[in-house]
Amino acid sequence: MDHIFPIIHVAGIRFDLATLSMMLLTSIIVFVLARLAVRNLSVTNPTKLQNFLEWVIEFVENIIGTSMSMKQGRPYLVLGLSLIMYIFVGNMLGLPFGIVTDVHHGATAFGFELDLKGEEHGHVAWWKSPTADVGVTGALTIIVILLTHFEGLRLNAKHYLKHYVEPHWAFLPLALIKEVAKPLSLALRLYGNIFAGEVMIGVILGMGWIGIPALVVWQGFSVFVGAIQAFVFCMLTMVYMSQAIVHEEHEEH
Amino acid sequence: MDIVWSNFFIQLVAFLILLWLLKRYAFGPLFGIMEQRRQYVAEQIATAEASKKEAEQQLEQQKQALQEARKEAYDIIELAKATSTKQAEDIIQVAKSESTRLKDDAVKDIESEKNKAVAALREEVGGISVKIASKIIEKQVDEKSQEQLVNQYLKEVGSK
């Protein structure tokens, strides 16, 4: 049961239709959820969804609060909220079912030929978590990492630049490696966890009827992993942000 | 690892758009509402505190008023008691003086009656004495000198 993804070539660029459609679906779900929650906004008598979204906001505020003061962290609240909602919804989307089509060489989508990697016959998976694609997690990571560097330079330039050569300029390579490792670990952790979860589901499905109890257990575990990964991504975003913009306490002593 | 770069760039743009949409149409209004609620709660707490203070003040006033009313009632009762005592004393006093006056009047009456009786008796005794004396003396003594004599005797009798 080796699944490939529906990839088409348009003007020499490869497009992954499954990831793109799931990306769009995830975004729509997040946005519709948020819109439904803020429909009929009320100060004294909030709807259930509004309550839920306010709970999410407080949850993210707490995450921010663990790494920096709320005054410094408030501008990143919307970023954190969007990240955690998008990643959580994305992680959950891939779990309940899969859509796999059996295609032969020459099959097309939107008028473009599917890339079957040279094989005559393939199982194409159309349904998956958008976060199970390294390009997606990489994009989210790059947004976060670029923003941390930008904010570090904007708000805290002296300390931000100094921390590269502290305590000695010879530490510069180490600091640079650290700065490269941050986005890599952030992107690959999320991608690895969700992708591995989906691969595991594929493997268990391959076991047939015997695999059902294992599938139930693994699905439950994947819900847990998906939630934890969304939380961790948001948490690390705020930690990196605080590292870039907050004066480190021990330097002042 | 097969990296599809179009995913990367499309996700980059898509997430920024999602971020903007969420901020513009969902979280912006919601933050406003949450801020309003914060103010609302603060206001409510302030109002509650103010009304509590007012209630305490009013309670204090009520207590004071009650205390005053009690004191007034006590005063009135005391006054009434004092008045009644005084009135009773007055009445007794009046009764006493009245009885004294009555007694004095009676004593005076008795005195005057007595005097009158004495005067009447004197006249009568004088008349009887004259008659007796005239019977005894008959023609020896003229009327005028005889009466003189009798009066002299009677004076002696009255003074005794």
Side-chain angles (χ1 to χ4, degrees):
Chain A
M1 290 288 278
D2 196 15
H3 293 158
I4 56 168
F5 296 117
I7 290 175
I8 57 174
H9 293 262
V10 179
I13 304 169
R14 292 195 305 156
F15 289 96
D16 180 349
L17 290 179
T19 305
L20 292 181
S21 59
M22 294 311 289
M23 205 187 281
L24 186 67
L25 185 64
T26 308
S27 302
I28 289 171
I29 289 175
V30 169
F31 185 68
V32 167
L33 196 69
R35 273 308 285 175
L36 283 179
V38 301
R39 198 181 49 171
N40 302 326
L41 276 177
S42 166
V43 173
T44 50
N45 187 22
T47 59
K48 279 179 186 168
L49 258 179
Q50 188 188 336
N51 267 331
F52 172 72
L53 198 61
E54 285 181 14
W55 174 78
V56 175
I57 290 173
E58 270 166 29
F59 183 72
V60 176
E61 276 178 347
N62 285 337
I63 292 176
I64 294 174
T66 56
S67 51
M68 54 190 138
S69 73
M70 209 50 230
K71 194 167 147 275
Q72 289 170 312
R74 180 149 282 279
Y76 315 119
L77 185 54
V78 174
L79 176 72
L81 278 166
S82 305
L83 277 176
I84 205 168
M85 285 174 76
Y86 183 81
I87 294 172
F88 180 76
V89 171
N91 290 351
M92 294 301 116
L93 269 188
L95 293 180
F97 55 89
I99 299 173
V100 179
T101 54
D102 229 355
V103 296
H104 296 278
H105 182 69
T108 58
F110 302 112
F112 295 98
E113 192 180 336
L114 288 172
D115 182 0
L116 299 182
K117 299 186 177 167
E119 308 232 352
E120 273 299 305
H121 178 83
H123 300 284
V124 177
W126 292 88
W127 188 274
K128 62 176 213 159
S129 286
T131 42
D133 184 277
V134 74
V136 169
T137 60
L140 297 177
T141 302
I142 285 297
I143 291 171
V144 167
I145 294 298
L146 285 183
L147 192 67
T148 61
H149 288 293
F150 177 75
E151 292 288 281
L153 277 172
R154 187 171 70 91
L155 299 171
N156 195 21
K158 194 169 145 241
H159 282 83
Y160 170 77
L161 292 173
K162 214 164 93 183
H163 97 272
Y164 282 103
V165 289
E166 283 219 332
H168 190 261
W169 61 266
F171 283 80
L172 181 63
L174 278 178
L176 288 178
I177 288 170
K178 195 182 98 186
E179 294 307 320
V180 174
K182 270 186 197 173
L184 277 181
S185 72
L186 197 57
L188 294 181
R189 178 184 305 108
L190 179 57
Y191 161 69
N193 272 286
I194 306 308
F195 182 70
E198 299 206 337
V199 168
M200 190 68 184
I201 287 173
V203 169
I204 292 171
L205 283 176
M207 290 161 67
W209 292 109
I210 311 159
I212 285 180
L215 188 65
V216 170
V217 171
W218 185 253
Q219 293 257 4
F221 184 62
S222 292
V223 170
F224 174 69
V225 169
I228 287 291
Q229 286 308 315
F231 171 74
V232 163
F233 198 98
C234 187
M235 183 84 187
L236 283 176
T237 298
M238 295 311 158
V239 169
Y240 293 157
M241 193 65 80
S242 73
Q243 280 177 352
I245 67 168
V246 175
H247 297 214
E248 280 171 22
E249 292 293 325
H250 59 82
E251 285 181 2
E252 287 163 9
H253 287 284
Chain B
M1 190 164 62
D2 179 24
I3 300 177
V4 182
W5 285 100
S6 63
N7 280 347
F8 177 82
F9 291 106
I10 291 171
Q11 176 65 81
L12 201 70
V13 174
F15 186 75
L16 290 176
I17 292 171
L18 180 67
L19 197 65
W20 181 78
L21 282 174
L22 284 177
K23 187 177 180 140
R24 175 88 176 69
Y25 292 105
F27 293 130
L30 190 55
F31 288 162
I33 287 292
M34 287 173 86
E35 186 56 42
Q36 273 180 36
R37 178 170 313 127
R38 231 163 268 151
Q39 282 170 3
Y40 178 75
V41 168
E43 262 170 39
Q44 290 290 308
I45 289 173
T47 315
E49 263 168 17
S51 32
K52 193 183 153 203
K53 213 171 268 178
E54 201 181 324
E56 268 169 10
Q57 217 170 10
Q58 274 177 356
L59 188 68
E60 202 57 42
Q61 277 176 1
Q62 299 289 326
K63 267 187 192 161
Q64 229 161 28
L66 195 65
Q67 202 66 34
E68 263 168 36
R70 239 181 229 155
K71 201 167 155 261
E72 230 164 88
Y74 180 76
D75 285 354
I76 288 171
I77 289 171
E78 282 300 301
L79 196 67
K81 267 187 196 162
T83 315
S84 65
T85 312
K86 195 163 159 271
Q87 256 173 358
E89 269 169 13
D90 282 358
I91 289 168
I92 290 168
Q93 204 62 42
V94 169
K96 262 186 192 163
S97 63
E98 185 71 19
S99 64
T100 312
R101 192 177 60 78
L102 283 174
K103 202 178 115 193
D104 290 354
D105 282 0
V107 169
K108 261 183 217 158
D109 280 358
I110 289 167
E111 192 71 24
S112 73
E113 285 300 311
K114 192 182 119 190
N115 288 344
K116 266 186 207 162
V118 168
L121 194 64
R122 192 188 289 164
E123 251 167 59
E124 207 159 312
V125 169
I128 292 168
S129 303
V130 170
K131 272 178 194 163
I132 294 168
S134 60
K135 281 242 167 105
I136 297 170
I137 308 167
E138 289 275 320
K139 292 215 173 130
Q140 292 174 356
V141 182
D142 64 296
E143 280 284 314
K144 211 176 172 191
S145 59
Q146 195 181 330
E147 202 176 287
Q148 220 172 6
L149 195 66
V150 170
N151 271 348
Q152 195 188 332
Y153 276 114
L154 276 177
K155 245 177 207 164
E156 275 169 38
V157 172
S159 65
K160 271 175 191 172

